[in-house]
Amino acid sequence: MKTLLLLVLVGVVVALVGGQGLPSLQGRSPSWAIAADPTVPLGQGALALSRPHPGLTGVHVLNSGRSAFAARMLLVETAQRSLDLQYYIWHDDISGQLLLDAVRRAVERGVRVRLLLDDNGIAGLDPVLAALQALPQVQVRLYNPFVQRRFKPLGYLSEPGRLNRRMHNKSFTADGAVSIVGGRNIGDAYFDAAEGVNFADLDLLALGAVVGEVATSFDAYWNSESAYPLPLLVKAVPQASAGQLIEARLAALGGQAAVDRYRAAVRASTLVHSLQQGTLALEWVPVELVVDDPQKTLAQGDGAVATHMLPRLQAAAGTISTRFDVVSPYFVPGDEGTQGFIALAAQGTTMRVLTNSLAATDVAAVHAGYARRRRDLLAAGLSLFELKPDARAPGPRALTLGSSSASLHAKTFAIDGERAFVGSFNFDPRSVKFNTEMGFLVKSPALAQSIHRAFDDALRNTAYVVRLNPAGDLEWVDHGVHPPQVWDSEPKAGLMRRAVARMLSWLPIEFLL
């Protein structure tokens, strides 16, 4: 009887949610990026630095969370013409509110703002975004939105196929002159300020040739069939009270030590000043933006492959000969990927992978998908490293951890000491088939070799080395203690967590991870 009632209830919910439908996009106006302006500070500085390097991109690594936050805040505060911001997650926390308030103040200076957010990652922000939308010069659009606003997971009951496809891109462009692309979303955990676990992540700040490509990509997503103007979905806020609402939410954060630490990081940063003075440390190299077509969100069946970035990323990355080092927090190679890694190993390529340990990951199901492949990868000769949950500072330019509790979130790889990728793409089925992704393929020996060195020098202390013992069983070696400690089961993961991961590994869900 209880089962029957539950089925009836689910049926009613599906009928109610499924009957609402998305609003029409008829009448939605397209808009386009504003080119860099040499008469405003960011445009003047970026164009002056770029002029001696035609066709190249100047890249600056943002490896620490605080520097990544400060860069974004300073660019918002300096912008005079436009801000184009595209994110998968924007948290309603301290960093999220500080940046939204900075955007509000930019609007008051006359800056045009386009904010494109995936609707899966903005919990609690509907009223704040509505307040922002009410201001002149601001447009907010939600990507692949949920019709049900109060309890979004209900949408998966009626539209699982559509809503399972998310916009995982992260890009930030100020005045059409400077872009930030990488792995970070907006939230305290990405900027090393969360009370609990913080993410080790990596962004590249770029100016020069590739910024125009980022702008073109933003326009494609902004004007796509999956980008819905916020007023079609969320109740409007009166313009007269909009600014006050944003200010009030920020004021509610007053007195928290993290607010002062964020503001101190902004005051200490010389990034924008150095850019304007022409002294910002940049490496001028060829950079290619590799990005999914936004039609991937709507495409179905075999035709969907034409919208995927993976073939373009493979072409841009070129032939892998001697070394391939991968950093992927959600590493689920599946059958095809596993065979590809094994084939490369058979050709003599040295391959190393850094991912999260079970104790460090924030998604146990993903770890279960990876765990099924460990023995095959190790037997083929790959080296596997799993980040410790208490890792510290794995590398000077590749990744920096400032927290005593860490989880890997950076998505990067290095090839043959010559080329590197930094972006949002994970080595997992979700990035390949379902989510849209983007990133920079950088022809930079300096960046590629810094990633290789992180594997050479630092990871033995900050990650467990996974190996097969003589009996063919898995072992985890912690070289960060003396003498090295050897574990015969997932280190520092409790019994229940290990049991859940083991059960998940038995389920046929790998294609969804």
Side-chain angles (χ1 to χ4, degrees):
M1 188 65 179
K2 290 181 179 180
T3 302
L4 179 60
L5 288 174
L6 179 60
L7 290 173
V8 170
L9 179 61
V10 170
V12 170
V13 170
V14 170
L16 290 173
V17 176
Q20 295 179 33
L22 285 169
S24 170
L25 288 176
Q26 187 174 1
R28 184 195 67 172
S29 299
S31 63
W32 311 97
I34 297 173
D37 183 344
T39 67
V40 300
L42 289 179
Q44 184 180 42
L47 291 170
L49 284 166
S50 303
R51 202 167 291 119
H53 309 281
L56 299 179
T57 296
V59 295
H60 179 85
V61 177
L62 298 173
N63 55 356
S64 77
R66 299 294 171 84
S67 67
F69 174 80
R72 288 166 171 82
M73 278 291 289
L74 288 168
L75 289 174
V76 172
E77 291 175 351
T78 309
Q80 297 294 319
R81 293 285 183 267
S82 65
L83 289 167
D84 288 339
L85 313 179
Q86 178 182 18
Y87 282 98
Y88 171 58
I89 290 173
W90 193 300
H91 280 313
D92 185 19
D93 57 11
I94 295 172
S95 60
Q97 291 296 339
L98 286 171
L99 279 164
L100 285 175
D101 185 64
V103 168
R104 175 191 63 81
R105 288 183 277 111
V107 172
E108 292 175 351
R109 299 194 304 271
V111 177
R112 187 197 74 172
V113 173
R114 296 189 297 174
L115 181 58
L116 178 61
L117 300 173
D118 186 272
D119 197 29
N120 195 50
I122 55 168
L125 278 182
D126 275 8
V128 187
L129 295 176
L132 197 63
Q133 170 73 45
L135 301 176
Q137 294 281 89
V138 178
Q139 292 184 66
V140 180
R141 291 185 179 176
L142 302 184
Y143 195 87
N144 201 19
F146 294 78
V147 177
Q148 166 61 246
R149 306 306 301 169
R150 291 192 176 183
F151 189 63
K152 291 181 183 178
L154 286 177
Y156 287 108
L157 296 176
S158 59
E159 298 185 276
R162 176 177 72 84
L163 294 173
N164 190 45
R165 296 171 179 269
R166 307 313 318 172
M167 182 190 76
H168 198 231
N169 311 39
K170 306 108 168 54
S171 79
F172 180 115
T173 301
D175 280 349
V178 184
S179 292
I180 297 174
V181 166
R184 287 186 177 91
N185 295 297
I186 303 300
D188 294 346
Y190 303 96
F191 300 127
D192 196 31
E195 292 296 325
V197 174
N198 285 281
F199 291 116
D201 222 320
L202 185 64
D203 297 319
L204 291 181
L205 180 144
L207 50 92
V210 85
V211 175
E213 296 179 35
V214 177
T216 298
S217 171
F218 183 94
D219 284 346
Y221 278 84
W222 181 258
N223 297 310
S224 75
E225 298 172 63
S226 297
Y228 284 73
L230 187 77
L232 296 179
L233 301 157
V234 176
K235 183 179 179 181
V237 169
Q239 183 176 333
S241 61
Q244 296 173 356
L245 188 151
I246 297 172
E247 285 183 302
R249 288 176 71 97
L250 182 64
L253 300 175
Q256 296 191 43
V259 176
D260 293 334
R261 290 196 293 270
Y262 273 131
R263 288 175 171 157
V266 174
R267 289 193 301 269
S269 175
T270 61
L271 186 143
V272 169
H273 177 76
S274 298
L275 189 157
Q276 293 172 292
Q277 296 299 311
T279 59
L280 180 64
L282 295 165
E283 184 185 11
W284 290 93
V285 290
V287 176
E288 182 175 348
L289 175 68
V290 190
V291 60
D292 275 310
D293 187 321
Q295 284 295 315
K296 181 181 181 182
T297 307
L298 302 172
Q300 301 289 333
D302 294 339
V305 176
T307 68
H308 293 182
M309 71 173 271
L310 181 59
R312 293 188 283 276
L313 178 58
Q314 290 171 323
T319 302
I320 302 172
S321 299
T322 58
R323 283 189 292 177
F324 187 32
D325 287 337
V326 175
V327 179
S328 183
Y330 311 118
F331 182 68
V332 187
D335 284 331
E336 187 174 349
T338 299
Q339 293 307 311
F341 280 112
I342 290 173
L344 276 174
Q347 297 172 14
T349 304
T350 298
M351 286 181 291
R352 299 176 291 187
V353 176
L354 170 65
T355 191
N356 278 310
S357 64
L358 178 57
T361 188
D362 61 327
V363 186
V366 169
H367 186 85
Y370 149 71
R372 296 175 59 191
R373 308 293 176 177
R374 280 186 297 211
R375 280 188 171 82
D376 290 341
L377 294 172
L378 290 169
L382 274 75
S383 296
L384 299 181
F385 297 82
E386 296 180 4
L387 192 74
K388 300 178 189 177
D390 55 354
R392 301 281 295 186
R397 287 196 62 196
L399 298 170
T400 296
L401 296 172
S403 170
S404 60
S405 183
S407 181
L408 188 66
H409 196 262
K411 305 99 166 53
T412 185
F413 61 76
I415 299 173
D416 296 343
E418 298 175 350
R419 306 178 300 286
F421 173 84
V422 176
S424 67
F425 181 85
N426 286 296
F427 281 81
D428 64 12
R430 175 156 293 281
S431 284
V432 172
K433 297 179 181 179
F434 299 114
N435 291 348
T436 65
E437 309 286 357
M438 69 187 302
F440 287 153
L441 197 288
V442 186
K443 293 183 179 178
S444 164
L447 180 57
Q449 289 171 17
S450 73
I451 295 169
H452 290 321
R453 283 197 300 272
F455 278 85
D456 293 337
D457 302 333
L459 291 187
R460 289 174 65 83
N461 293 323
T462 58
Y464 304 113
V465 177
V466 188
R467 69 186 186 189
L468 294 175
N469 66 19
D473 296 323
L474 291 173
E475 290 183 340
W476 290 257
V477 185
D478 182 357
H479 291 277
V481 297
H482 184 76
Q485 183 175 2
V486 179
W487 301 70
D488 60 8
S489 62
E490 307 272 5
K492 297 187 178 179
L495 179 62
M496 181 60 70
R497 190 169 179 81
R498 295 200 305 270
V500 168
R502 175 65 63 88
M503 286 187 290
L504 288 170
S505 71
W506 297 337
L507 300 177
I509 59 174
E510 187 177 67
F511 73 101
L512 291 171
L513 300 177

